[in-house]
Amino acid sequence: MFHWISHRLRPALGAAFLGGLSFVGAEAAVRLHPLFTDHAVLQQGKPVPVWGWADPGEKVTVRFGDQAVSVEANADGKWLAHLKPLKATAAPRALEASGTTSVRIEDVVVGEVWVCSGQSNMEWPMTLSRDPQADIQASTHPLLRLYTVRKATSPLPLDTFLDSKGHEWSTAAPDGVKGFSAVAYYFGRDLQKALGVPVGLIHTSWGGTRIEAWTSGETLAERPCAQEMLADWKEAVKKW
């Protein structure tokens, strides 16, 4: 029944469905990770990682505002660029990654980005919260942005979602808010009001999941208390 709101967003998010699988498209087009879509929020005050895929060795340039950062895709076609720290702004701008091809997203703002994760109490939607209708109907807010990670399982860490379809940022509005995490929504709404800057919420919860599923195998292997569980897991995989 834990819940967790984290202010840390990195290229390798520590969940069961993100980490080490290469997704280089046959068309070799420059691509952004699905976390970067129209209406995205970038974190203020810290270097901002922007990442994706291209041809191995391809030069990729990321442009946002007055910044342009060029990097080279590695042998697996993965690239990672860091924008210099940004000031919070509600002014919508475009973010572009270009090489032999280019991809561009619109209405990108800068403010606070929070990862909202946990089990059933974090997953609990607005529609099932206490007397939610008035809050849902009053939820339209262009500076509060929502992103829900769709559920998927994998025995190995992945670089991206198993299915990128349906992963996109949206501005807060009744249709999107009603199924969103109630804890995350109220937190983000109040934070935006207090700080007066754009706030982005990444909701990635799964009721009833065990903490081990959200922890890397390497970390578990370092814990003596986890050895019996890891042995049981290896045996289950072997039988499967």
Side-chain angles (χ1 to χ4, degrees):
M1 291 292 290
F2 77 97
H3 60 245
W4 173 52
I5 295 182
S6 171
H7 198 202
R8 287 167 290 186
L9 177 61
R10 302 177 299 168
L13 298 182
F17 38 75
L18 299 179
L21 183 64
S22 176
F23 273 69
V24 181
E27 72 282 1
V30 173
R31 294 191 294 126
L32 287 164
H33 189 281
L35 277 172
F36 299 96
T37 74
D38 293 347
H39 317 301
V41 182
L42 303 181
Q43 175 60 43
Q44 66 171 335
K46 297 179 181 293
V48 176
V50 180
W51 66 99
W53 299 268
D55 269 337
E58 183 174 358
K59 178 182 176 181
V60 177
T61 300
V62 175
R63 294 181 174 84
F64 183 72
D66 59 359
Q67 294 192 47
V69 181
S70 295
V71 295
E72 186 175 293
N74 68 14
D76 294 323
K78 303 174 185 178
W79 56 265
L80 168 65
H82 283 89
L83 299 172
K84 294 179 181 179
L86 302 165
K87 292 183 178 180
T89 176
R93 289 180 287 183
L95 184 149
E96 182 179 39
S98 60
T100 54
T101 62
S102 64
V103 58
R104 179 185 175 98
I105 61 174
E106 304 286 349
D107 187 30
V108 179
V109 295
V110 180
E112 289 290 297
V113 180
W114 291 77
V115 176
C116 310
S117 183
Q119 296 176 314
S120 55
N121 53 356
M122 180 63 85
E123 187 179 13
W124 198 264
M126 282 290 293
T127 51
L128 298 180
S129 63
R130 186 172 184 178
D131 301 325
Q133 292 307 316
D135 286 338
I136 291 173
Q137 291 306 312
S139 65
T140 299
H141 201 319
L143 299 187
L144 182 59
R145 310 286 177 93
L146 312 178
Y147 189 103
T148 298
V149 177
R150 297 177 64 182
K151 294 177 179 178
T153 61
S154 171
L156 299 173
L158 306 175
D159 267 350
T160 190
F161 311 115
L162 290 174
D163 184 359
S164 61
K165 295 179 180 179
H167 287 91
E168 59 185 15
W169 284 95
S170 62
T171 58
D175 282 347
V177 165
K178 64 185 180 181
F180 200 72
S181 161
V183 172
Y185 172 75
Y186 285 122
F187 167 80
R189 183 196 67 176
D190 292 354
L191 184 67
Q192 197 289 318
K193 183 178 179 180
L195 299 182
V197 302
V199 170
L201 304 173
I202 300 174
H203 175 219
T204 171
S205 301
W206 198 327
T209 51
R210 293 175 51 156
I211 188 63
E212 292 87 352
W214 298 82
T215 309
S216 71
E218 293 79 6
T219 299
L220 290 171
E222 296 173 357
R223 305 294 191 271
C225 61
Q227 297 313 302
E228 183 177 352
M229 180 202 67
L230 290 174
D232 290 343
W233 171 253
K234 290 178 181 178
E235 184 63 23
V237 171
K238 182 180 179 180
K239 291 180 179 179
W240 182 79

